[in-house]
Amino acid sequence: KGYAEANASLLAPRVARPGTYGFVGDYIRGTGLPHCGLTFQNAMDTVLEAVPSEHLIQVVDVGSMLGDCCLWVLLRGRNLGRSLHCRAYEQDAA
């Protein structure tokens, strides 16, 4: 690719750029909603309700891509006055 073609490709919407997930970030910023699934959110709400408040809850988000599940659960825990740790792991962190 020439310089002009390479620069022009950056003007394409992120959904049209192969190998990027920027459109997911755009969705999160645009809607204010996490990409994190409702199944995870419901499961964590159940854990937060069932585990006594004196216990530390440790969450591991495997395949996190954006880390939004960790951010969601940490904010949810803080709003409920809970102490949480969350670690996000992505296979290809490069």
Side-chain angles (χ1 to χ4, degrees):
K1 274 187 176 179
Y3 180 76
E5 288 176 309
N7 284 338
S9 70
L10 294 176
L11 299 175
R14 288 184 215 172
V15 287
R17 288 190 226 158
T20 68
Y21 295 98
F23 63 93
V24 179
D26 290 345
Y27 169 81
I28 293 169
R29 284 186 292 279
T31 63
L33 300 171
H35 184 256
C36 190
L38 290 176
T39 302
F40 174 84
Q41 294 177 28
N42 291 335
M44 289 313 306
D45 279 340
T46 301
V47 168
L48 290 167
E49 185 177 319
V51 175
S53 60
E54 62 270 10
H55 294 299
L56 173 67
I57 298 172
Q58 296 193 43
V59 179
V60 178
D61 182 5
V62 178
S64 64
M65 188 170 79
L66 299 171
D68 60 324
C69 289
C70 271
L71 294 174
W72 181 89
V73 76
L74 290 170
L75 180 61
R76 179 68 121 212
R78 186 175 73 181
N79 289 340
L80 296 172
R82 298 298 304 263
S83 181
L84 293 163
H85 287 276
C86 188
R87 289 187 172 86
Y89 294 96
E90 180 58 44
Q91 178 181 352
D92 184 15

